[in-house]
């Protein structure tokens, strides 16, 4: 399996070569030259597999430069009930991502049973083990520069803490995450973890990461790698739970399902798109945004209009407070027939903060075959949905999953199972849970009082050169 850039001006690479980087040298994102196809026989054989065995079968189609026995061992080490120990709602921890049945044909899928209580753990724990394996084989080290709107940072830090040959420099928007999210990251004392709070929004932090990634000389000299959702390995790992959710929600492989996915950076739902392209019987991918609805606007109108930090709202579902969706380029690449010339033209506008409009192009006529539907949710919507889910189903939702359920309920179809991907546990957003329900969300015992621990963070302006200097002084 070889990987190509969406912008078409970088040489094809192997999985291990792109694992340690982020953007391709031409500024594009890596995708497989073609998506491996899953047969009915594959689905029949995979239906009864454990999560770890299912992950191996799927990832082996994308990772052909790690010996099968080694890959199987890495996957088995990652997807254990001990690592994903925070199962709740009566879910079976051995399933890793169990379904919670709300009513006939309506489910949530628990993706936040990992160490940081967010779906990012599903890919990041694997990424940590893959990084360590490849670096050891190559005798190399890496310095990870990432940006987070809330959950990616802590998931990356918990996956990489204590790993040899790895240092992590994580940017986050100063004061814009929940207290729990900040505490998870800033309370870590591992010598290889560095937190930088950027004065601004998530997009400011993400722009710095992209600027560094595009500085090929600096990146090479300082061995800069990426764990943000632009990293292909994360997307690949997330494909697995779409297959698992499908198998748990259906009785046979003749059935179709729909998934609703709370979406900010488009990485989570991009994995669903690829699962569907591989042949998983997904009829619809329902994209849910919060007030920062740049993606909903695109799927409704064909106009992709990235917004500035000033135009980006600070909301009670902060992990989706994003107005430039990094992974969106991967989907548009497929939408325009995998034509890198078109992508270069479109993203020459995006990279300048400008919009593009596909509504009058031939490409927009292709949109229905990709199965996307979209909708948005506001603060009052998520408060009402949290109350509704608690009252009707006796299930407590976090704010982002509430956005997902609200949009899912608007787009259900008779006879089509709807699976809402849960993104985090309610404990990460206590303030909004108190507002909605007047009660405290339960948190795991090992995370009690985390906000009271000493915090280690440096606050900086969104200055690329200053942050480069910070990194250089510590590697």
């Amino acid at each position: 399996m070889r990987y190509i850039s969406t912008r078409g001006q970088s040489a094809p690479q192997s999985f291990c070569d792109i694992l340690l980087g982020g953007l391709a040298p031409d500024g594009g994102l890596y995708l497989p030259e073609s998506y491996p196809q899953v047969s009915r026989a594959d689905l029949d054989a995979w239906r009864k597999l454990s999560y770890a065995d299912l992950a191996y079968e799927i990832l082996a189609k994308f990772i052909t430069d790690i010996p099968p026995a080694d890959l199987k061992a890495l996957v088995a080490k990652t997807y254990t009930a001990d690592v994903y120990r925070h199962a709740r709602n009566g879910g079976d921890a051995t399933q890793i991502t169990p379904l919670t049945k709300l009513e006939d044909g309506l489910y949530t899928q628990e993706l936040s049973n990992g160490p940081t209580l967010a779906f990012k753990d599903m890919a990041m724990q694997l990424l940590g083990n893959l990084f360590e394996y490849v670096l050891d084989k190559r005798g190399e080290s890496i310095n990870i520069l990432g940006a987070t709107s809330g959950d990616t940072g802590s998931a990356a830090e918990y996956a990489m803490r204590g790993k040899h040959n790895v240092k992590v420099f994580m940017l986050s928007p100063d004061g814009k995450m929940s207290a729990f999210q900040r505490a998870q990251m800033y309370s870590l004392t591992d010598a290889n973890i560095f937190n930088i709070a950027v004065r601004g929004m998530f997009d400011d932090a993400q722009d710095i990461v992209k600027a560094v990634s595009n500085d090929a000389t600096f990146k090479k000299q300082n061995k800069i790698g990426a764990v943000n959702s632009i990293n292909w390995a994360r997307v690949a790992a997330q494909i697995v739970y779409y297959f698992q959710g499908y198998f748990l929600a259906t009785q046979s492989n003749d059935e179709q399902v729909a998934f609703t996915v709370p979406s900010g950076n488009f990485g989570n739902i991009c994995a669903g798109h690829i699962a569907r392209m591989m042949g998983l019987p997904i009829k619809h991918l329902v994209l849910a945004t919060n007030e920062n609805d740049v993606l909903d606007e695109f799927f409704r109108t064909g106009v992709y209009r990235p917004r500035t930090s000033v135009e980006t709202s600070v909301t009670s579902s902060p992990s989706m407070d994003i107005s430039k969706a990094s992974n969106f380029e991967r989907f548009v690449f497929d939408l325009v027939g995998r034509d890198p010339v078109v992508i270069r033209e479109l993203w020459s506008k995006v990279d300048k903060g400008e919009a593009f409009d596909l509504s009058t192009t031939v490409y927009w006529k292709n949109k229905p075959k990709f199965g996307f539907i979209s909708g948005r949710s506001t603060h009052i919507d998520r408060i009402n949905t949290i109350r509704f889910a608690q009252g009707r189903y006796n299930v407590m939702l976090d704010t982002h999953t509430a956005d997902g359920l609200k949009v899912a309920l608007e787009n259900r179809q008779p006879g089509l199972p709807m699976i809402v991907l849960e993104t985090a546990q309610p404990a990460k957003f206590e303030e909004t849970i108190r507002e909605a329900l007047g009660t405290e969300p339960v948190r795991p015992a090992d995370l009690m009082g985390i906000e009271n621990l000493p915090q280690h963070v440096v606050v900086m302006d969104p200055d690329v050169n200053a942050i480069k200097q910070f990194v250089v002084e510590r590697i």
Side-chain angles (χ1 to χ4, degrees):
M1 173 67 74
R2 306 286 285 177
Y3 292 87
I4 58 173
S5 169
T6 51
R7 302 194 188 179
Q9 294 180 319
S10 295
Q13 300 285 318
S14 70
F15 175 85
C16 288
D17 287 333
I18 68 167
L19 170 69
L20 302 175
L23 294 173
D26 62 3
L29 300 182
Y30 286 112
L31 276 172
E33 287 181 318
S34 63
Y35 296 125
Q37 295 302 293
V38 174
S39 68
R40 173 61 185 264
D42 289 328
L43 293 175
D44 290 342
W46 295 353
R47 179 168 278 275
K48 300 300 183 184
L49 294 180
S50 69
Y51 193 94
D53 287 343
L54 177 63
Y56 168 74
E57 294 293 340
I58 293 169
L59 291 170
K61 293 182 176 294
F62 293 100
I63 305 172
T64 56
D65 54 342
I66 293 178
D70 289 358
L71 179 60
K72 191 159 189 134
L74 288 166
V75 170
K77 175 182 176 182
T78 301
Y79 296 112
T80 69
D82 182 55
V83 174
Y84 297 94
R85 64 189 180 279
H86 294 127
R88 63 226 174 277
N89 297 333
D92 179 356
T94 63
Q95 293 177 343
I96 309 299
T97 61
L99 296 188
T100 298
K101 182 178 178 180
L102 303 181
E103 60 184 65
D104 286 347
L106 181 63
Y107 309 87
T108 58
Q109 186 171 6
E110 292 184 17
L111 302 182
S112 58
N113 295 331
T116 71
L117 311 186
F119 83 94
K120 307 294 176 76
D121 289 324
M122 294 305 306
M124 207 68 78
Q125 286 291 313
L126 178 65
L127 206 63
N129 289 328
L130 285 169
F131 269 36
E132 192 169 52
Y133 171 87
V134 172
L135 290 169
D136 282 352
K137 290 287 186 184
R138 296 183 172 189
E140 297 176 3
S141 61
I142 195 168
N143 299 300
I144 294 166
L145 180 66
T148 184
S149 57
D151 293 328
T152 294
S154 57
E157 291 179 357
Y158 276 70
M160 304 293 171
R161 61 187 304 196
K163 298 285 188 195
H164 39 89
N165 301 322
V166 178
K167 289 184 178 179
V168 178
F169 298 85
M170 189 58 61
L171 311 183
S172 57
D174 184 33
K176 302 299 191 297
M177 303 184 299
S178 75
F180 185 93
Q181 288 175 311
R182 292 194 297 272
Q184 276 191 308
M185 293 174 56
Y186 302 164
S187 66
L188 292 181
T189 58
D190 303 80
N192 68 327
I193 303 296
F194 301 90
N195 283 297
I196 305 168
V198 174
R199 296 183 181 97
M201 297 296 294
F202 166 75
D203 291 318
D204 297 305
Q206 183 166 257
D207 285 346
I208 291 169
V209 173
K210 287 185 175 180
V212 174
S213 291
N214 282 323
D215 184 341
T217 301
F218 181 86
K219 186 176 174 182
K220 183 176 182 180
Q221 286 177 344
N222 296 284
K223 302 175 182 176
I224 302 296
V227 293
N228 274 35
S229 58
I230 56 175
N231 187 301
W232 165 253
R234 279 189 54 191
V235 178
Q238 290 173 309
I239 293 168
V240 178
Y241 53 69
Y242 283 90
F243 281 82
Q244 171 84 331
Y246 172 79
F247 291 140
L248 293 176
T250 59
Q251 297 299 311
S252 82
N253 298 317
D254 297 320
E255 300 175 60
Q256 289 186 305
V257 301
F259 284 92
T260 297
V261 189
S263 300
N265 231 352
F266 205 82
N268 199 0
I269 203 165
C270 184
H273 160 66
I274 293 167
R276 189 176 182 275
M277 296 290 283
M278 291 171 69
L280 188 65
I282 300 173
K283 184 174 183 181
H284 290 303
L285 289 162
V286 184
L287 179 147
T289 72
N290 63 12
E291 293 89 334
N292 298 296
D293 58 356
V294 59
L295 292 170
D296 176 46
E297 181 179 50
F298 172 80
F299 283 102
R300 285 186 295 102
T301 68
V303 176
Y304 181 59
R305 183 174 60 88
R307 297 163 199 175
T308 65
S309 295
V310 174
E311 297 173 295
T312 303
S313 300
V314 177
T315 77
S316 50
S317 49
S319 297
M320 301 195 298
D321 291 348
I322 296 169
S323 292
K324 285 183 283 188
S326 286
N327 279 283
F328 188 55
E329 184 173 337
R330 286 185 163 114
F331 168 70
V332 177
F333 182 65
D334 287 337
L335 181 65
V336 302
R338 297 194 139 216
D339 187 336
V341 175
V342 176
I343 293 297
R344 290 200 299 273
E345 179 185 345
L346 295 176
W347 257 262
S348 69
K349 298 178 180 179
V350 173
D351 290 341
K352 292 185 288 188
E354 299 174 0
F356 64 73
D357 183 357
L358 297 183
S359 64
T360 59
T361 69
V362 65
Y363 309 119
W364 193 241
K365 296 175 184 176
N366 295 330
K367 188 192 78 129
K369 76 178 185 181
F370 293 99
F372 276 87
I373 299 172
S374 70
R376 73 189 292 270
S377 173
T378 65
H379 179 72
I380 191 62
D381 291 326
R382 68 186 65 99
I383 292 293
N384 288 337
T385 304
I386 290 168
R387 290 172 179 162
F388 170 78
Q390 186 69 46
R392 173 72 67 90
Y393 307 125
N394 195 31
V395 170
M396 188 181 292
L397 301 180
D398 81 283
T399 53
H400 309 74
T401 309
D403 289 334
L405 181 59
K406 184 261 185 184
V407 175
L409 292 171
E410 294 172 341
N411 289 283
R412 288 181 75 186
Q413 295 182 6
L416 184 68
M418 174 68 80
I419 304 165
V420 180
L421 294 192
E422 176 211 70
T423 66
Q425 292 196 22
K428 302 195 81 163
F429 307 97
E430 290 180 339
E431 182 178 332
T432 307
I433 298 300
R434 283 195 293 270
E435 178 184 350
L437 302 176
T439 188
E440 296 289 327
V442 176
R443 67 168 68 177
D446 57 333
L447 294 172
M448 295 294 287
I450 192 172
E451 294 93 337
N452 299 323
L453 295 174
Q455 297 193 0
H456 309 277
V457 60
V458 175
V459 180
M460 299 181 68
D461 289 327
D463 181 324
V464 174
N465 290 327
I467 287 171
K468 281 182 176 179
Q469 187 61 33
F470 181 93
V471 170
V472 168
E473 290 172 355
R474 286 158 181 82
I475 60 177

